[in-house]
């Protein structure tokens, strides 16, 4: 017999001493095991017989005298009800005993014990004639027990004090937060206007501007000094073109703004989509100089039409004003301020006719794309000299101010921004945080993103989808504006406000908390940094509060007017949603109708989709994504379809399919 087979029978000392296999009888060992099992079996049988005897005695007492009694619930009994049982007496006659059991309510927070123990009662009475004479009431009790057993884990509720604090944010005394995206054709002056706005509101210092003026002059780009406040990358400063989204924080009299400076070049449209998907409102910058406006708007349309026959790079740089407007509307932006820039360089300077001409064309196009005129404001400005940007600060071009005030009596740019309507926040909906950046700090991971709905607090536990991992929230910091002399991109520094105003930090229940609409940095612990990436979604870990992770959905799409190649079934596209893009296939064209023609009936199962139509399609993604219907979560239900570097459609998810 092998030495190691009997090692389980040895003491620790015996293992190291000399021993012989003959000392251990294998047959005796197994016989002892069998005797132990037999002894346990007999003990269990005796206990069961005794229990059955006690239960039979109780049944005989009930059968001796029928009565209706109220009795306390036994552990494992049903939630209450009426049961009718029958038994045989000595004479062979059948007596029925009726009992009504009234179960006491379980304590608050505790659920009724599942029906596992109730089955033992039925096993004990398997010889009784109740089984043969089972009534409809027995069926009812069994169905109720199964429903109790299948009850799900309770959905966590928002504490009442926090819920009251969230609802108080709708009061006029609490400052509102808005995300503002700067859009427009390349070289329209978006970054320069952003820098001027920061300077006018004292969020950057004059000394820092002088430093940038000296550095930009050294490389022959002196007019780009203001743009360097947002174009912080060396490649952006050398090329003079915004490549990625720049984020700054600005405080006006009415709002706290998160400014998203989007690139205007056609090659960086995916970055523009990422910024616009996070915006509540938009500032469209239009260059008023002769030729520039036509290249971005009227000329852009012609170039787009010619793109079907030509793939030259020169034609691709035109027409971004039109495309940005359509993309912004498709991604949920409903309010616009149109800044007619560079009027000081128009011919003639500060021309009212030029301003009205541009206003009429842009307004008509905005209304065609679903914008309401009452939510659109046109403002003539000069980002380079600061004319009509703000009434505060030093006037660098007094002559320009005087020339503009001869015919313009409207608001400044800052006053127009304060005219926005506060965005409606979905505080009470399940948490959704879209991750845009990830960095590792020792054992913890810091993610940057936007809270699109719900709220997140320090100390909570969150789930990260689509990977499904869970993590603890260690720190939460919201982005806020800083005053002159400090960096305009700061999460930690606070900002002084009016004594009559009330910030979210002034509400004790909302300390260390970020709400829907906030740009936020969240530090997580207990998760591998490799499992996180831009495009992930943080949510509540409860299964009922998680968004679906699917590959297929049905959506309504608006096809771009100037479409080079029609869309057919099986078309391969690139789907852009917030900060991610994945390959996709249009596997079914459900219906289509001509845009603007309300009398026309939808065409079922069309063969192709041409420019300017609205359609219902089924789309299959190459991988699973976190998606939701647009009426449940706007940010996870809006997308853009692109093909070959061109935008072909924008859409809304109507139904998530399996």
């Amino acid at each position: 017999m092998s030495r190691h087979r009997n090692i389980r029978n040895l003491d620790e000392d015996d293992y190291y001493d000399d021993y012989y296999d003959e000392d251990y009888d294998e047959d005796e060992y197994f016989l002892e095991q069998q005797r132990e099992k037999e002894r346990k079996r007999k003990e269990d049988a005796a206990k069961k017989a005794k229990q059955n005897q006690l239960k039979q005695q109780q049944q005989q007492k009930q059968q001796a005298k029928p009565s209706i009694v109220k009795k306390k619930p036994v552990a494992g009994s049903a939630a209450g009800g009426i049961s009718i049982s029958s038994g045989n007496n000595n004479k062979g006659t059948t007596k029925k005993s009726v009992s009504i059991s009234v179960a006491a309510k379980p304590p608050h927070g505790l659920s009724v014990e599942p029906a596992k123990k109730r089955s033992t009662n039925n096993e004990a009475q398997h010889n009784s004639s109740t089984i043969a004479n089972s009534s409809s009431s027995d069926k009812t009790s069994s169905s109720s027990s199964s429903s109790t057993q299948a009850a799900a884990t309770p959905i966590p509720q928002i504490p009442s004090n926090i819920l009251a604090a969230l609802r108080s944010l709708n009061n006029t005394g609490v400052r509102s937060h808005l995300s503002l995206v700067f859009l427009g054709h390349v070289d329209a002056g978006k970054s320069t206007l952003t820098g001027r706005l920061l300077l006018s509101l004292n969020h950057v210092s004059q000394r820092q501007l002088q430093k940038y003026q000296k550095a930009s002059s050294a490389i022959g780009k002196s007019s780009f000094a203001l743009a360097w406040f947002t174009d912080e990358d060396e490649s952006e400063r050398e090329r003079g073109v915004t490549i990625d989204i720049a984020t700054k924080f600005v405080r006006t009299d009415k709002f706290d703004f998160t400014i998203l400076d989007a690139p205007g070049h056609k090659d960086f449209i995916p970055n523009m989509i990422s910024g616009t998907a996070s915006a509540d409102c938009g500032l469209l910058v239009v260059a008023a100089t002769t030729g520039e406006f036509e290249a971005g708007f009227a000329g852009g349309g012609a170039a787009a039409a010619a793109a079907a026959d030509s793939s030259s790079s020169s034609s691709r740089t035109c027409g971004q004003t039109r495309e940005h407007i359509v993309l912004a509307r498709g991604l949920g932006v409903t309010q616009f301020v149109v800044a007619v820039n560079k009027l000081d360089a128009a011919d003639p300077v500060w021309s009212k006719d030029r301003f009205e001409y541009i206003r009429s064309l842009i307004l008509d196009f905005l209304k065609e794309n679903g914008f309401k005129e009452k939510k659109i404001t046109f403002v003539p400005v000069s980002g380079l000299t600061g004319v009509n940007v703000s009434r505060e600060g030093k006037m660098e071009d007094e002559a320009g101010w005087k020339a503009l005030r001869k015919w313009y009596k409207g608001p400044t740019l800052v006053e127009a921004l304060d005219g926005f309507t506060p965005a409606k926040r979905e505080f009470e909906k399940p948490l959704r945080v879209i991750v845009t950046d990830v960095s590792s700090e020792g054992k913890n991971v810091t993610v940057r993103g936007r809270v699109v709905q719900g709220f997140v607090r320090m100390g909570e536990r969150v789930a990260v989808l689509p990977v499904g991992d869970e993590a603890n929230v260690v720190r939460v910091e919201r982005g806020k504006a800083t005053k002159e002399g400090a960096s305009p991109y700061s999460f930690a520094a606070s900002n002084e406000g009016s004594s009559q105003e009330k910030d979210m930090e002034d509400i004790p229940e909302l300390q260390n908390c970020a709400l829907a609409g906030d740009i936020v940095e969240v530090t997580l612990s207990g998760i591998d940094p490799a499992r996180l990436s831009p495009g992930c979604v943080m949510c509540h870990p409860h299964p009922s509060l998680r968004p679906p992770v699917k590959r297929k959905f049905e959506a309504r799409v608006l096809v771009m007017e100037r479409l080079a190649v029609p869309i057919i079934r099986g078309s391969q596209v690139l789907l852009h949603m917030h900060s991610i893009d994945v390959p996709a296939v249009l596997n079914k064209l459900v219906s289509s109708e001509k845009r603007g023609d309300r009398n026309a009936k939808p065409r079922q199962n069309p063969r192709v989709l041409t420019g300017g139509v609205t359609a219902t399609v089924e789309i299959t993604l190459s991988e699973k994504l976190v998606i939701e219907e647009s009426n449940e979560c706007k940010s996870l239900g809006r997308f853009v379809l692109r093909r070959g570097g061109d935008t072909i459609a924008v859409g809304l998810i109507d139904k998530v399919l399996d």
Side-chain angles (χ1 to χ4, degrees):
M1 187 176 67
S2 173
R3 171 191 181 100
H4 298 287
R5 270 169 44 196
N6 261 344
I7 198 170
R8 62 179 179 271
N9 299 323
L10 301 178
D11 295 332
E12 185 176 356
D13 294 336
D14 294 337
Y15 181 79
Y16 295 100
D17 295 336
D18 294 333
Y19 66 93
Y20 298 95
D21 288 341
E22 300 88 55
D23 297 336
Y24 303 96
D25 191 350
E26 188 177 23
D27 295 335
E28 180 65 24
Y29 170 78
F30 286 109
L31 287 173
E32 179 64 26
Q33 293 292 323
Q34 291 177 1
R35 285 194 291 268
E36 182 69 22
K37 290 181 181 179
E38 183 67 20
R39 185 165 52 251
K40 287 184 179 180
R41 187 184 66 79
K42 290 180 178 179
E43 289 178 357
D44 294 341
K47 287 181 181 179
K48 191 172 182 180
K50 189 174 182 180
Q51 290 176 356
N52 292 339
Q53 185 179 1
L54 291 174
K55 288 176 183 177
Q56 288 177 1
Q57 290 176 359
Q58 291 178 357
Q59 290 176 1
Q60 289 174 2
K61 290 180 181 180
Q62 291 178 357
Q63 293 172 3
K65 187 178 180 180
S67 61
I68 299 177
V69 294
K70 292 184 178 180
K71 53 183 180 178
K72 295 181 180 179
V74 186
S77 62
I82 301 174
S83 62
I84 303 175
S85 61
S86 62
N88 296 329
N89 57 5
N90 297 331
K91 297 181 179 180
T93 59
T94 302
K95 294 185 178 180
K96 292 186 178 180
S97 69
V98 182
S99 66
I100 300 177
S101 62
V102 180
K105 263 191 170 181
H108 180 68
L110 300 177
S111 58
V112 178
E113 191 175 353
K116 190 177 290 185
K117 292 185 179 180
R118 282 197 298 273
S119 61
T120 60
N121 296 338
N122 296 333
E123 290 174 2
Q125 300 175 8
H126 67 281
N127 293 327
S128 176
S129 60
T130 356
I131 299 176
N133 299 325
S134 61
S135 61
S136 60
S137 61
D138 298 323
K139 298 179 182 179
T140 306
S141 63
S142 64
S143 62
S144 63
S145 64
S146 62
S147 62
T148 306
Q149 199 170 12
T153 308
I155 299 176
Q157 301 297 323
I158 302 175
S160 57
N161 60 334
I162 297 178
L163 185 60
L166 291 173
R167 290 173 177 173
S168 70
L169 295 177
N170 297 325
N171 299 334
T172 56
V174 181
R175 291 182 64 85
S176 298
H177 176 265
L178 289 176
S179 295
L180 175 67
V181 61
F182 278 51
L183 304 174
H185 189 63
V186 63
D187 293 333
K190 299 184 295 299
S191 298
T192 299
L193 186 59
T194 305
R196 175 61 65 178
L197 186 62
L198 293 170
L199 186 64
S200 300
L201 295 176
N202 297 322
H203 293 298
V204 294
S205 64
Q206 193 71 32
R207 182 179 179 181
Q208 196 172 2
L209 175 62
Q210 293 173 357
K211 177 183 176 181
Y212 286 160
Q213 286 174 340
K214 183 178 180 180
S216 59
S217 299
I219 62 174
K221 295 182 180 292
S222 58
S223 61
F224 286 79
L226 285 167
W228 281 21
F229 285 115
T230 57
D231 296 342
E232 298 176 347
D233 190 80
E234 289 299 327
S235 60
E236 292 179 326
R237 294 179 176 181
E238 290 176 4
R239 298 173 60 180
V241 176
T242 302
I243 297 176
D244 205 352
I245 292 288
T247 306
K248 304 296 175 185
F249 300 97
V250 168
R251 167 168 284 205
T252 64
D253 292 338
K254 189 177 178 181
F255 294 107
D256 288 335
F257 283 102
T258 298
I259 293 181
L260 307 167
D261 184 20
H265 199 282
K266 188 176 180 68
D267 292 344
F268 309 118
I269 284 291
N271 295 339
M272 174 265 171
I273 293 172
S274 176
T276 308
S278 301
D280 302 307
C281 48
L283 192 149
L284 180 65
V285 183
V286 180
T289 51
T290 304
E292 281 194 78
F293 170 70
E294 286 74 18
F297 188 74
D309 303 322
S310 175
S311 60
S312 63
S313 60
S314 60
S315 66
R316 290 188 178 183
T317 59
C318 298
Q320 295 313 294
T321 304
R322 286 176 174 264
E323 186 172 2
H324 282 200
I325 291 173
V326 176
L327 288 175
R329 186 67 188 93
L331 293 171
V333 177
T334 58
Q335 303 181 76
F336 252 143
V337 168
V338 182
V340 182
N341 194 22
K342 302 185 182 181
L343 267 177
D344 55 335
D347 188 20
V349 295
W350 298 108
S351 171
K352 179 181 178 181
D353 294 338
R354 181 67 172 170
F355 174 78
E356 292 295 339
Y357 170 73
I358 294 173
R359 182 182 182 278
S360 61
L361 291 178
I362 295 290
L363 181 60
D364 290 343
F365 190 74
L366 288 171
K367 290 164 68 176
E368 288 177 7
N369 284 275
F371 289 93
K372 297 180 180 179
E373 187 173 356
K374 64 180 180 180
K375 294 188 176 182
I376 304 170
T377 305
F378 287 83
V379 181
V381 296
S382 173
L384 189 63
T385 62
V387 175
N388 206 40
V389 174
S390 174
R391 301 186 191 276
E392 301 177 2
K394 182 181 177 181
M395 293 185 182
E396 299 181 12
D397 185 8
E398 294 186 9
W401 275 96
K402 292 178 181 178
L404 176 62
R405 289 302 172 187
K406 288 181 180 179
W407 55 270
Y408 180 74
K409 307 299 180 183
T412 62
L413 179 61
V414 175
E415 292 170 349
L417 296 180
D418 277 337
F420 281 132
T421 303
K424 183 181 179 182
R425 302 299 184 194
E426 303 290 351
F427 300 126
E428 300 180 31
K429 281 192 172 184
L431 173 66
R432 303 286 185 268
V433 181
I434 298 177
V435 177
T436 57
D437 193 16
V438 181
S439 60
S440 180
E441 296 181 358
K443 295 182 179 179
N444 298 331
V445 184
T446 298
V447 297
R448 185 168 180 269
R450 183 171 188 257
V451 186
V452 296
Q453 68 181 37
F455 66 97
V456 58
R457 291 184 298 164
M458 185 175 68
E460 290 186 339
R461 192 162 179 83
V462 296
V464 180
L465 299 180
V467 293
D469 295 357
E470 295 186 10
N472 297 315
V473 178
V474 178
R475 181 176 60 95
V476 176
E477 291 191 8
R478 301 168 58 243
K480 293 180 290 187
T482 58
K483 284 296 183 182
E484 179 180 350
S487 170
Y489 185 76
S490 174
F491 281 88
S494 61
N495 190 40
E496 299 90 355
S498 172
S499 59
Q500 299 178 354
E501 294 174 342
K502 192 176 182 180
D503 289 329
M504 196 183 77
E505 289 78 5
D506 299 329
I507 304 175
E509 292 83 2
L510 301 182
Q511 297 280 336
N512 301 316
C513 180
L515 307 180
D518 288 340
I519 303 294
V520 65
E521 275 192 358
V522 180
T523 303
L524 304 175
S525 66
I527 189 170
D528 186 359
R531 303 281 286 172
L532 287 164
S533 61
C536 290
V537 177
M538 292 194 301
C539 62
H540 196 282
H542 193 279
S544 300
L545 301 178
R546 296 189 182 193
V549 181
K550 301 291 184 180
R551 291 184 58 224
K552 191 175 181 181
F553 59 88
E554 184 177 279
R556 288 176 291 125
V557 298
L558 169 63
V559 183
M560 301 294 284
E561 289 186 0
R562 302 187 180 274
L563 189 65
V565 179
I567 300 173
I568 61 174
R569 179 184 175 186
S571 295
Q572 298 183 359
V573 296
L574 196 63
L575 183 139
H576 294 260
M577 181 181 289
H578 48 83
S579 56
I580 56 175
D581 54 86
V582 294
V585 176
L586 279 77
N587 57 314
K588 185 177 181 180
L589 308 181
V590 180
S591 64
S592 68
E593 57 182 315
K594 191 169 181 62
R595 185 184 176 191
D597 191 356
R598 298 180 180 179
N599 297 326
K601 293 183 178 180
R603 182 180 177 185
Q604 301 298 322
N605 301 320
R607 296 182 62 185
V608 297
L609 301 179
T610 56
V613 303
T614 58
T616 301
V617 298
E618 285 187 7
I619 299 176
T620 303
L621 306 175
S622 62
E623 59 186 78
K624 288 187 176 182
L625 286 185
V626 183
I627 54 177
E628 283 192 272
E629 298 174 3
S630 58
N631 57 355
E632 294 293 335
C633 181
K634 295 179 181 179
S635 298
L636 296 178
R638 295 178 180 269
F639 61 91
V640 177
L641 299 180
R642 289 173 59 81
R643 180 178 60 187
D646 296 323
T647 302
I648 62 173
V650 294
L652 299 173
I653 296 177
D654 279 342
K655 186 189 303 181
V656 178
L657 306 176
D658 294 333

